[in-house]
């Protein structure tokens, strides 16, 4: 038998027996015992959790009922993994090399018919790839290590409003991918609070010797989304924002991550949102301008006036 066939045979022996010795394997497969040792080492390296017990009644076995775990993926599971890999690689996923290696193993152990099906499906699935700075991948890899080890890091960071980089120490609690950007969420020692940091704005990062304890049940995603939605207070004035327009444009607007939180009523050609007055004029009006003539603000009048002011300023800015 070939090497792969022998290794598969050893794996089945381990999965069907409580414990088996190298000598027993060698006799059953008619192999040199040293060859058996090499094959077992190769299985260990590939990720198979083999336990080796020495002494009388010793031998090899699989850890924690590994024999009950599925050793193969069906064609639908393989297609799903291929699709996920394509998407992850084009988002700047830090461990894309390891992911690609795993996918190659899937291809290697697929039948010819499965390989044809996979190739046919993956050819029709693509992600519009964006440029990813190679240094970003290295930063993300280092961040995952710090998060796993709960180790504080010192970073050189430039905020959106600052020209100069500033050094600060943070306790990284988690990373997330949002709107084509990577963020790290953690406690900032400089500000004394949990904050979000754009990974691409980190120009330098070093591990410190300080360790931290992540807050129990902390979710980087939940904190990040909460930070994007303005907090309500006693000075908040909630008013209706009524917008009409084409159905497809309103669908897009109502499904927007921020606007969807404030949707009160929706008909075919109109949507009503309840939003803080200041947020409408300082943020939402700028966002609505990107929809052009596909939507129209019906009320409040002050929002329409704000849109007019923004449009005039843009016209004057670009006027030749």
């Amino acid at each position: 038998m070939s090497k792969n066939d022998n290794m598969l045979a050893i794996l089945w022996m381990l999965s069907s027996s409580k414990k088996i010795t190298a000598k027993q394997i060698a006799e059953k497969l008619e192999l040199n015992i040293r060859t058996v040792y090499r094959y077992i080492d190769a299985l260990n390296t590939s990720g198979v959790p083999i336990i080796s017990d020495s002494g009388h009644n010793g031998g090899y076995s699989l850890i924690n009922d590994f024999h009950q775990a599925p050793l193969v993926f069906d064609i639908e599971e393989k297609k799903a993994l291929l699709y996920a890999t394509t998407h992850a690689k084009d988002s700047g996923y830090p461990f894309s090399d390891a992911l690609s290696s795993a996918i190659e193993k899937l291809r290697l152990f697929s039948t010819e018919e499965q390989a044809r099906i996979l190739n046919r499906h993956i050819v029709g699935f693509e992600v519009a790839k964006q440029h990813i700075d190679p240094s970003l991948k290295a930063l993300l890899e280092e961040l995952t290590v710090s998060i796993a080890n709960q180790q504080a890091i010192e970073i050189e960071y430039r905020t959106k409003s600052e020209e100069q980089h500033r050094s600060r120490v943070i306790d990284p609690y988690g990373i997330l991918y949002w709107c084509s950007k990577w963020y790290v969420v953690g406690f900032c020692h400089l500000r004394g609070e949990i904050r979000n940091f754009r990974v691409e704005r980190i120009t330098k990062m070093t591990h410190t010797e300080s360790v931290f304890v992540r807050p129990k049940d902390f979710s980087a995603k939940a904190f990040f989304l909460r930070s994007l939605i303005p907090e309500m207070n006693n000075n908040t004035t909630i008013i209706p924002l009524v917008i009409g327009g084409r159905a497809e444009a309103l669908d897009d607007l109502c499904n927007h991550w921020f606007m969807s939180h404030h949707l009160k009523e929706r008909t075919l050609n109109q949507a009503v949102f309840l939003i803080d007055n200041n947020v409408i004029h300082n943020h939402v009006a700028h966002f609505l301008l990107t929809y052009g003539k596909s939507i129209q603000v019906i009320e409040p009048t002050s929002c329409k006036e704000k849109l007019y002011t923004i449009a005039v300023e843009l016209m004057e800015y670009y006027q030749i």
Side-chain angles (χ1 to χ4, degrees):
M1 292 192 294
S2 68
K3 176 181 177 180
N4 287 340
D5 290 336
N6 280 321
M7 289 177 65
L8 185 59
I10 292 173
L11 185 57
W12 281 115
M13 287 182 192
L14 292 170
S15 64
S16 59
S17 305
K18 290 185 177 180
K19 192 174 292 186
I20 189 169
T21 66
K23 182 179 179 181
Q24 290 171 325
I25 295 174
E27 290 174 350
K28 288 183 178 182
L29 297 180
E30 298 181 351
L31 294 173
N32 184 289
I33 194 167
R34 292 186 178 180
T35 302
V36 172
Y37 290 142
R38 287 202 304 273
Y39 287 167
I40 289 177
D41 287 340
L43 286 170
N44 264 319
T45 302
S46 67
V48 179
I50 300 175
I51 298 177
S52 175
D53 292 323
S54 58
H56 188 65
N57 295 325
Y60 295 102
S61 60
L62 295 177
I63 193 172
N64 296 333
D65 298 325
F66 179 78
H67 61 278
Q68 295 179 359
L71 297 178
V72 294
F73 295 103
D74 62 31
I75 189 63
E76 292 302 316
E77 291 169 330
K78 289 183 178 182
K79 283 193 294 186
L81 289 170
L82 279 172
Y83 291 152
T85 300
T86 300
H87 189 278
K89 287 170 66 177
D90 292 337
S91 70
Y93 178 68
F95 302 105
S96 56
D97 291 342
L99 194 56
S100 296
S101 176
I103 292 302
E104 286 306 310
K105 289 181 181 178
L106 280 183
R107 293 181 185 274
L108 181 64
F109 293 102
S110 298
T111 64
E112 290 186 7
E113 178 60 22
Q114 287 179 330
R116 282 195 294 269
I117 294 173
L118 293 175
N119 289 334
R120 191 165 64 244
H121 279 271
I122 201 63
V123 164
F125 183 87
E126 296 180 271
V127 175
K129 188 174 183 178
Q130 59 178 338
H131 172 71
I132 303 295
D133 190 331
S135 63
L136 184 66
K137 179 181 176 182
L139 275 173
L140 289 170
E141 290 178 351
E142 290 298 315
L143 282 169
T144 60
V145 172
S146 298
I147 292 168
N149 295 335
Q150 298 189 80
Q151 184 177 19
I153 57 175
E154 183 174 357
I155 62 174
E156 293 290 330
Y157 188 77
R158 177 183 59 81
T159 65
K160 183 178 179 180
S161 59
E162 294 176 334
E163 292 293 334
Q164 299 297 322
H165 298 86
R166 181 180 296 190
S167 178
R168 63 186 77 199
V169 175
I170 65 172
D171 301 338
Y173 294 158
I175 59 175
L176 74 155
Y177 187 68
W178 169 260
C179 292
S180 301
K181 302 293 181 184
W182 285 94
Y183 295 82
V184 56
V185 180
F187 181 81
C188 176
H189 290 252
L190 179 65
R191 301 297 183 186
E193 61 184 6
I194 300 175
R195 306 193 72 167
N196 305 316
F197 299 91
R198 278 257 292 270
V199 177
E200 65 186 39
R201 291 179 181 163
I202 299 175
T203 59
K204 184 180 179 181
M205 187 187 86
T206 55
H207 298 277
T208 71
E209 296 182 357
S210 300
V211 295
F212 63 87
V213 177
R214 184 184 296 103
K216 186 179 179 181
D217 299 325
F218 180 83
S219 168
K221 175 184 176 181
F223 176 85
F224 183 84
L225 292 178
R226 284 198 306 269
S227 68
L228 296 179
I229 300 175
E231 294 183 0
M232 302 296 182
N233 53 52
N234 295 332
N235 297 322
T236 299
T237 302
I238 303 298
I239 63 173
L241 172 64
V242 184
I243 298 177
R246 297 203 300 266
E248 60 270 21
L250 290 177
D251 287 341
D252 185 77
L253 185 63
C254 292
N255 288 324
H256 183 265
W257 68 268
F258 177 77
M259 301 298 287
S260 63
H261 285 280
H262 303 278
L263 181 64
K264 177 65 176 178
E265 182 182 338
R266 168 68 197 277
T267 60
L268 179 62
N269 298 112
Q270 190 175 97
V272 180
F273 304 89
L274 296 180
I275 307 179
D276 174 33
N277 183 54
N278 290 327
V279 173
I280 290 176
H281 298 112
N282 295 330
H283 303 287
V284 176
H286 292 269
F287 169 66
L288 295 178
L289 199 64
T290 63
Y291 282 85
K293 294 182 179 180
S294 63
I295 64 169
Q296 183 179 28
V297 175
I298 298 173
E299 60 177 87
T301 301
S302 59
C303 184
K304 292 191 281 188
E305 292 172 347
K306 180 65 175 181
L307 285 168
Y308 175 81
T309 300
I310 298 171
V312 170
E313 290 175 350
L314 283 172
M315 181 184 68
E316 292 177 348
Y317 180 78
Y318 286 106
Q319 191 171 23
I320 299 176

